Amino acid sequence: MIFQFEQIDEYDNVLIKNTHPYDWKNPVSDGRYNLVVIGGGTAGLISAAGAAMVGAKVALIENSILGGDCLNFGCVPSKSIIRSARAAREARRAGDFGVSIRGEIEPDFPAIMKRMRELRSRISFHDSAERYKKMGVDVFLGTARFCSRDTLLVGETEIRFNKAVIATGARAAIPDIPGLVDAGYLTNETVFSLTSLPRRLAVIGGGPLGCELAQAFQQLGADVRILHRGRRLLGQADEEASEILRRTFAREGIQILLNTVPREISKAGQGKTIHYEMDGVRESMEVDEILVGAGRAPNVQGLGLEFAGVEYDLRKGIKINDYLATTNPNIHAAGDVCLPFKFTHMADMTARMALRNALFAGRAKISDLVIPWVTYTDPEIAHVGMSSEEAQQKGIPVETFSRSLTEIDRALLDGETDGVVKIHVRRGTDRIAGATIVAAHAGEMISEISTAITHGIGLRQLSSVIHPYPTQAEAIKSVVDSFNRGRLTPFVRKALSLWLRISRTETATMMGKSIQRSKMSLLNALRGLHRRR
């Protein structure tokens, strides 16, 4: 068992009781399983639950903690801490809204971490071994290793299967920096076990994980520095979005070192010294802790994949086709172990696809998916579809329509104007190719665009959608209006103007005839009244 806890408190005990009970007894394997699932993270749990729901005989194998990264070392703990950090930031900004707070804002880091552990333990019930047992899933806690194309071992227990789904996930990729191991470092699997706030924190990597936690720890009172090899943060993000985030970080006091490569790390008393090279110049800094956020590595080693006829790569993971099938047609893979997009929602969706394709000869394809992603900084950065750079690389001409949040009333009222909505459409059409949203709640807003792309809804149809006023999502409507104004070319305006002049003339003529008829009716009525008198 792999537990990354420095100390065990009442909440961790609940978590462990749910996700890897100390007294758990593996079931006795009885006959061949319809489906064996290896890995108890999001993809594995979804696969096992779905198979059990349709009456399949299914086994779920996990060698560490059920719930995987998302519950234990990813989405759940990180978003809890990010919310506490946002509360601290909002308190510091209270004066901007006419609210006076006396004294210093002092985040209580142990209390913040305790809250995180309490919430994590509460959520852990959904991923518990006991719950899945009640669903009809045979839950095996131990290490799985293939010994043939349709057989594997968990300890000494032999398990045979018709179909299998590998969903073993990924782990933090550790860069090969001399002295890093000796000096000590944190990853997403250990940072949430901290009980005291590091005074000086270095984050190696300016990707989503690095940026999210760098900002959170800065807002909670740490002095944070980001060392990033790239020329901009979030290298896969829209360039304008990256720049907005860079300005935000700089304003908040985060030191950002771009084009920077750590060369060596050494111990310095109670701290650590990072020797790095920035734009060809050697420098050094002293910190108390180092958080490594330099990407993810797939968990493919030790599974005996060669005995199952499953090809894999140590860096890219398990080799799959568009239907999530491996080089052994009876074994599929899902989630981080085989995908370049290592998101919980992708693990969820590909698990459903793998299950359908494996058990029911389905033909669900990864290439058909519209994949949104969100970086949960403040502001959030959300994206779906192609960026303008990707479209250019693929030779697809696009037009981009955008709106700054400085022009959106609700963003002004909220004091959240650092942001933009950008929608790319294929040139000459209203078909959406992709979009980027930078806003406080961009993750909530992007689903409208994802839905539109998935169902082929163009900007013309979105223009008929009523967006409540005032909301920040109204920025999407504003972009659609910008698209519609772009359709009013000089030729179209001239044609419309001519049509309106013709309509105005016809209307005047009709009104003149109507007035004349009204006059005659009035005169006739008066004559009749005179005669009656």
Side-chain angles (χ1 to χ4, degrees):
M1 259 190 324
I2 304 171
F3 294 129
Q4 301 290 340
F5 304 134
E6 287 185 358
Q7 302 175 17
I8 301 292
D9 66 5
E10 58 183 307
Y11 303 120
D12 291 334
N13 276 326
V14 172
L15 177 71
I16 294 168
K17 180 180 179 182
N18 282 330
T19 61
H20 199 130
Y22 291 120
D23 57 353
W24 185 261
K25 292 183 179 180
N26 285 339
V28 176
S29 178
D30 180 22
R32 183 182 290 269
Y33 286 93
N34 297 115
L35 182 73
V36 166
V37 181
I38 306 168
T42 299
L45 293 172
I46 293 292
S47 297
M53 190 181 301
V54 297
K57 183 178 181 181
V58 56
L60 172 65
I61 306 166
E62 170 56 46
N63 74 333
S64 182
I65 309 174
L66 290 168
D69 263 19
C70 184
L71 171 67
N72 300 291
F73 314 120
C75 312
V76 170
S78 67
K79 302 313 169 280
S80 173
I81 292 172
I82 286 170
R83 183 61 187 92
S84 295
R86 180 175 289 181
R89 182 173 185 265
E90 289 170 347
R92 293 189 187 99
R93 293 187 60 213
D96 296 344
F97 303 93
V99 177
S100 178
I101 296 180
R102 297 179 181 178
E104 292 292 321
I105 305 300
E106 298 182 1
D108 184 340
F109 190 76
I112 289 168
M113 300 303 280
K114 180 179 179 181
R115 173 181 180 272
M116 177 273 292
R117 293 193 301 274
E118 191 275 330
L119 293 174
R120 182 174 62 180
S121 69
R122 191 190 307 176
I123 293 171
S124 69
F125 167 75
H126 301 295
D127 299 343
S128 66
E130 193 61 39
R131 179 169 179 259
Y132 274 76
K133 179 181 177 181
K134 290 179 180 178
M135 289 184 191
V137 176
D138 281 358
V139 178
F140 292 84
L141 298 181
T143 300
R145 181 175 176 81
F146 288 99
C147 51
S148 75
R149 296 177 67 87
D150 67 348
T151 310
L152 53 79
L153 295 173
V154 179
E156 296 181 359
T157 302
E158 183 179 274
I159 298 176
R160 300 182 68 195
F161 59 86
N162 291 331
K163 303 288 183 177
V165 171
I166 301 172
T168 48
R171 64 191 184 282
I174 308 304
D176 185 16
I177 305 172
L180 176 63
V181 174
D182 291 337
Y185 60 91
L186 300 168
T187 69
N188 68 299
E189 294 182 357
T190 55
V191 68
F192 301 114
S193 296
L194 289 175
T195 54
S196 60
L197 180 72
R199 186 170 61 86
R200 301 167 300 176
L201 176 67
V203 178
I204 297 178
L209 171 69
C211 287
E212 288 179 7
L213 292 183
Q215 186 180 42
F217 275 82
Q218 180 78 20
Q219 291 174 354
L220 294 177
D223 178 11
V224 178
R225 305 96 183 267
I226 299 176
L227 291 78
H228 185 53
R229 287 176 176 265
R231 64 179 181 85
R232 58 186 174 92
L233 298 173
L234 300 176
Q236 299 300 313
D238 175 89
E239 192 155 356
E240 183 179 0
S242 296
E243 177 57 20
I244 291 172
L245 189 64
R246 186 202 64 78
R247 292 199 304 264
T248 299
F249 280 10
R251 187 169 60 247
E252 293 176 352
I254 298 174
Q255 186 179 353
I256 306 166
L257 288 76
L258 302 176
N259 300 313
T260 299
V261 180
R263 294 300 185 188
E264 186 181 0
I265 296 172
S266 58
K267 293 182 180 179
Q270 297 298 314
K272 316 166 199 295
T273 300
I274 302 177
H275 306 273
Y276 61 91
E277 186 175 318
M278 181 179 180
D279 292 325
V281 179
R282 292 271 184 155
E283 299 285 351
S284 65
M285 68 170 68
E286 289 192 9
V287 298
D288 298 301
E289 290 287 358
I290 298 171
L291 172 62
V292 174
R296 310 282 291 160
N299 292 321
V300 293
Q301 294 172 303
L303 293 174
L305 295 174
E306 55 276 6
F307 296 106
V310 175
E311 294 182 15
Y312 65 94
D313 180 272
L314 292 176
R315 187 172 59 86
K316 296 181 180 180
I318 291 177
K319 181 179 179 180
I320 55 171
N321 63 16
D322 204 18
Y323 303 97
L324 293 157
T326 71
T327 47
N328 178 336
N330 290 322
I331 299 177
H332 288 64
D336 292 2
V337 74
C338 61
L339 300 175
F341 303 103
K342 301 188 188 306
F343 311 133
T344 295
H345 48 280
M346 274 298 287
D348 181 314
M349 179 57 72
T350 54
R352 297 169 191 269
M353 293 169 61
L355 176 64
R356 188 159 64 250
N357 292 349
L359 289 187
F360 304 107
R363 302 295 288 172
K365 297 190 295 185
I366 302 173
S367 58
D368 289 338
L369 296 178
V370 175
I371 306 166
W373 55 258
V374 184
T375 300
Y376 295 94
T377 48
D378 192 359
E380 295 176 352
I381 297 177
H383 175 81
V384 67
M386 289 186 289
S387 65
S388 57
E389 293 90 346
E390 288 174 310
Q392 185 176 17
Q393 291 169 4
K394 295 178 179 180
I396 300 173
V398 297
E399 295 179 89
T400 299
F401 299 87
S402 67
R403 182 69 67 207
S404 169
L405 291 193
T406 58
E407 303 173 75
I408 304 303
D409 292 353
R410 181 58 186 270
L412 286 165
L413 296 169
D414 289 340
E416 296 172 343
T417 55
D418 286 339
V420 67
V421 173
K422 301 175 74 171
I423 299 178
H424 315 294
V425 297
R426 293 175 184 263
R427 185 172 296 164
T429 75
D430 72 335
R431 185 179 171 189
I432 302 171
T436 293
I437 300 177
V438 184
H441 304 288
E444 308 293 340
M445 296 166 65
I446 198 67
S447 291
E448 179 176 357
I449 309 299
S450 300
T451 300
I453 296 175
T454 300
H455 296 287
I457 298 171
L459 290 189
R460 289 185 180 89
Q461 289 169 283
L462 277 186
S463 67
S464 64
V465 176
I466 298 174
H467 292 72
Y469 176 88
T471 61
Q472 291 191 27
E474 199 186 11
I476 297 172
K477 176 72 168 180
S478 185
V479 171
V480 175
D481 290 342
S482 178
F483 166 79
N484 286 330
R485 284 193 296 272
R487 294 166 60 200
L488 292 174
T489 63
F491 174 79
V492 173
R493 288 182 181 179
K494 188 176 292 185
L496 290 174
S497 178
L498 177 62
W499 183 83
L500 289 171
R501 283 201 302 271
I502 294 171
S503 298
R504 191 164 60 244
T505 301
E506 291 178 349
T507 300
T509 301
M510 292 173 64
M511 288 180 66
K513 293 179 180 178
S514 178
I515 291 170
Q516 188 65 28
R517 284 196 299 269
S518 297
K519 284 181 179 179
M520 292 301 297
S521 297
L522 180 60
L523 287 172
N524 289 334
L526 290 173
R527 289 191 190 103
L529 180 63
H530 177 73
R531 284 195 294 269
R532 284 194 295 273
R533 286 181 174 178

